[in-house]
Amino acid sequence: MSDSMNKNNAKSIPPRRTGKVLLIYTGGTIGMGCNPQTGALEPLDFAHLAQRMYEFRYLHVGFDTYQFSPPLDSSDVRPLEWAHLVDIISRRYDEYDGFVILHGTDTMAYTASALSYMLENLTKPVILTGSQLPIGQLRTDGKENLLTSIELAATVGEDGYPKVPEVCIYFGGKLLRGNRSTKRSADGFNAFDTFNYPHLCDAGVDFTFHDHHILRPDYQRAMVPHMVMDTNVIVFSLFPGIEEHLFRHILDAPELRSIVMRTFGSGNAPQAPWLMRLFESAARRGVIIVNISQCVTGRVSMSRYDTGYQLQNAGVVSGHDSTVEAAVTKLMHLQGRYEDPDTIRAMMNRSLCGEISV
């Protein structure tokens, strides 16, 4: 669904409110506790921990909890876990006004991006959050992140519809589109940002929603869950001095279906004839090569310089202003749905759920 669909979608009667949010704990620092013997962090029973937090008594919304067993370090999250989350949400979709997923920060942007594609025509908030310090520690950022995420997941506008019916990340006072998000800091409380897209909401004393940046689904259509992801994709960064024989081995892998290629600046690559020959050969046999910039802000423009034109002529597809996380998971999603590489190339140039500006 493109951003152009934001405003004029037909609405039916507002969805029935249940007054509840489902809190899904997958793992991560937010639910850790300190082992008194070793001093190391280890997972706790998050449902029990949440019940002991007196702040929950002041919420104006009910919540239930679902805990992954065992909890996962986010470095170990795979498409299997993404499918599990989609299954949980789709089975309980009518029981809750929104969903909050507690997740480790390291791969949170990948999970948020993947879910944005896998939950087609999402009509309720799905908000991922976590923390840099465990929720039981004195200086934790976890309580504010968690409590605000629950409030946001339950917030509706004057028209009775959810304020933010899309997959988001909430962290450090900012509500961000999930498939535009990138982790920016390993240890700061302001851990995530969307460098190529505005915030959806800023949480201060009040919520300041930026409505014209928020996607609006078609409320007359059902949400469609997708479970299958094809992971035959790699990410490769170009660099000065890249060697032909090494790059050829990557592109010659028989299982390879696509590559996210991180190029220089606005989408440029070395003008080496061997590099263009490799791209052309791979594209002819059906490998999809998506060009995104190594810069954290800006977009690929392959018509700006001659090197970009050469990439276009070699069959490379523009990734526009996509993040790495959004491009990789989009390819996985599309490869799980389509066999034809030309169809996937065409879809990579479309905004499915606000992940690129076209």
Side-chain angles (χ1 to χ4, degrees):
M1 179 174 58
S2 69
D3 289 77
S4 63
M5 295 175 66
N6 277 3
K7 295 300 178 185
N8 297 317
N9 284 322
K11 290 184 177 181
S12 55
I13 298 172
R16 181 181 64 87
R17 306 286 296 163
T18 67
K20 292 197 302 181
V21 167
L22 181 61
L23 187 59
I24 305 170
Y25 176 61
T26 67
T29 300
I30 192 169
M32 296 285 189
C34 186
N35 185 307
Q37 277 75 45
T38 65
L41 294 176
E42 59 184 24
L44 300 174
D45 181 342
F46 195 85
H48 181 63
L49 184 67
Q51 290 169 1
R52 290 166 50 199
M53 287 176 56
Y54 75 90
E55 293 92 342
F56 276 79
R57 303 171 195 169
Y58 300 101
L59 285 171
H60 298 294
V61 58
F63 69 94
D64 295 327
T65 57
Y66 182 101
Q67 181 165 326
F68 275 33
S69 182
L72 290 169
D73 186 297
S74 72
S75 297
D76 293 324
V77 168
R78 303 160 298 168
L80 182 66
E81 282 73 45
W82 298 338
H84 187 194
L85 285 168
V86 170
D87 184 60
I88 293 167
I89 292 168
S90 59
R91 286 177 180 271
R92 296 163 173 80
Y93 198 68
D94 295 331
E95 300 174 32
Y96 298 96
D97 296 332
F99 303 84
V100 173
I101 299 172
L102 300 177
H103 195 288
T105 59
D106 285 348
T107 59
M108 187 183 293
Y110 284 96
T111 296
S113 296
L115 294 180
S116 73
Y117 308 122
M118 299 170 80
L119 298 167
E120 182 184 346
N121 197 53
L122 182 67
T123 58
K124 296 184 178 185
V126 174
I127 301 175
L128 287 85
T129 195
S131 67
Q132 299 285 50
L133 288 174
I135 203 165
Q137 291 193 8
L138 183 63
R139 294 183 55 249
T140 184
D141 54 330
K143 287 185 180 180
E144 193 277 325
N145 285 346
L146 173 56
L147 293 168
T148 303
S149 294
I150 293 173
E151 285 197 37
L152 286 166
T155 300
V156 297
E158 293 180 357
D159 58 0
Y161 288 85
K163 287 294 291 184
V164 192
E166 56 176 290
V167 178
C168 306
I169 287 177
Y170 178 79
F171 226 93
K174 297 176 293 191
L175 186 68
L176 311 170
R177 176 166 297 164
N179 57 35
R180 294 282 192 153
S181 302
T182 296
K183 187 176 181 182
R184 60 178 293 180
S185 173
D187 49 19
F189 287 163
N190 203 15
F192 289 87
D193 212 338
T194 49
F195 295 100
N196 281 327
Y197 200 76
H199 303 163
L200 304 183
C201 177
D202 293 301
V205 174
D206 298 307
F207 291 151
T208 303
F209 290 98
H210 308 295
D211 293 333
H212 52 297
H213 297 309
I214 299 172
L215 290 176
R216 295 299 172 206
D218 184 348
Y219 286 97
Q220 295 183 337
R221 287 179 51 223
M223 188 275 287
V224 181
H226 299 280
M227 304 288 188
V228 179
M229 301 286 269
D230 183 328
T231 58
N232 288 299
V233 54
I234 63 167
V235 179
F236 188 86
S237 291
L238 295 179
F239 56 90
I242 182 174
E243 291 287 351
E244 177 182 358
H245 63 283
L246 295 176
F247 194 41
R248 184 191 300 117
H249 285 307
I250 293 171
L251 290 179
D252 283 347
E255 303 85 1
L256 182 66
R257 292 191 66 188
S258 60
I259 178 170
V260 175
M261 185 175 64
R262 301 180 69 239
T263 55
F264 308 129
S266 58
N268 303 309
Q271 298 186 63
W274 66 261
L275 187 60
M276 298 305 156
R277 285 197 301 269
L278 287 180
F279 288 150
E280 289 172 1
S281 174
R284 279 198 303 270
R285 77 169 201 269
V287 176
I288 301 136
I289 306 169
V290 179
N291 183 1
I292 67 170
S293 176
Q294 295 179 20
C295 302
V296 294
T297 60
R299 59 186 292 115
V300 161
S301 178
M302 291 197 292
S303 60
R304 183 175 297 177
Y305 298 104
D306 184 57
T307 53
Y309 273 115
Q310 291 186 45
L311 291 173
Q312 276 184 307
N313 293 336
V316 176
V317 177
S318 174
H320 302 278
D321 54 354
S322 177
T323 64
V324 172
E325 299 91 339
V328 168
T329 53
K330 185 175 182 178
L331 283 165
M332 289 182 182
H333 168 68
L334 293 174
Q335 289 170 182
R337 295 183 65 183
Y338 305 105
E339 289 294 329
D340 177 38
D342 287 333
T343 299
I344 297 174
R345 289 187 184 105
M347 297 290 280
M348 289 302 295
N349 276 299
R350 287 177 49 194
S351 174
L352 304 184
C353 43
E355 73 281 2
I356 54 175
S357 302
V358 289

